[in-house]
Amino acid sequence: MKRVFLITLVVLVATVMSFGQTRLSVGAKNFTEQYIVSSMISQLLENAGFRVTENFGMSSFVARSALETGQIDLYADYTGTAWPTYLGHEKMIRDPLELYNAVKAEDLENGIVWLDMANFNNTYALAVRRDFAAEHGLATLEDLAELTHEDPDLLFGVVYEFLE
């Protein structure tokens, strides 16, 4: 399960502020939730007196790279994406707070700061038509996984992070 953690991954914010510059670049990935959350971040920063440039519509890897290279100053990201995708771990941590703390600690070594968690959840789920589930005896994700071995032509519509 993925828990979303509004990051405001801001190593650079402190640096930018210390030089007196008040322009911040807010990034966003290329899906609706990201546009909404990042727009909220932009508005909060503007209300606090910052000038904001929005760089929305990036893939996960592009957003992460933009943060690492200073092309953006912050964006909302997910520990459930960071742990396996950016940090390369295969074994998932299921406890949201434990996962947050693990990602936060490891990413600090990469020069990335995760701020407090947001109070909402971005758990993925799969949906199939009722008749499809009945025809194939699907009640769990494990049932669906077995079906993928039996029917290699089965098609899924998912984002990359979910597939991983």
Side-chain angles (χ1 to χ4, degrees):
M1 273 194 255
K2 274 190 172 181
R3 292 253 177 196
V4 74
F5 300 104
L6 181 59
I7 51 260
T8 336
L9 302 167
V10 195
V11 164
L12 299 176
V13 171
T15 305
V16 169
M17 289 173 60
S18 69
F19 289 107
Q21 183 177 351
T22 57
R23 178 166 295 281
L24 294 174
S25 177
V26 176
K29 296 180 186 183
N30 56 358
F31 52 93
T32 305
E33 178 181 283
Q34 280 279 301
Y35 291 121
I36 293 169
V37 171
S38 295
S39 292
M40 292 167 60
I41 291 169
S42 294
Q43 289 175 29
L44 288 168
L45 288 169
E46 286 172 342
N47 288 341
F50 292 94
R51 293 180 303 154
V52 174
T53 301
E54 294 180 336
N55 293 295
F56 293 3
M58 295 179 269
S59 70
S60 291
F61 287 108
V62 171
R64 174 68 178 218
S65 178
L67 180 70
E68 290 172 343
T69 60
Q71 294 171 319
I72 61 172
D73 296 304
L74 56 130
Y75 75 109
D77 210 342
Y78 310 88
T79 57
T81 299
W83 189 248
T85 306
Y86 312 141
L87 301 175
H89 295 281
E90 290 187 21
K91 185 176 182 206
M92 199 61 186
I93 299 172
R94 299 290 176 206
D95 178 81
L97 187 55
E98 185 181 339
L99 177 61
Y100 166 77
N101 287 328
V103 169
K104 182 177 182 173
E106 189 166 331
D107 245 352
L108 192 56
E109 296 172 15
N110 298 322
I112 294 175
V113 175
W114 287 73
L115 299 182
D116 293 341
M117 299 186 309
N119 191 21
F120 69 96
N121 183 327
N122 177 329
T123 301
Y124 284 123
L126 289 176
V128 298
R129 291 185 323 275
R130 185 184 315 235
D131 60 331
F132 183 85
E135 177 184 341
H136 298 285
L138 302 178
T140 66
L141 286 175
E142 287 79 13
D143 296 339
L144 184 59
E146 283 183 33
L147 181 61
T148 64
H149 296 295
E150 297 167 14
D151 184 358
D153 295 327
L154 188 64
L155 297 177
F156 288 83
V158 296
V159 297
Y160 176 76
E161 287 86 0
F162 183 81
L163 187 58
E164 284 297 300

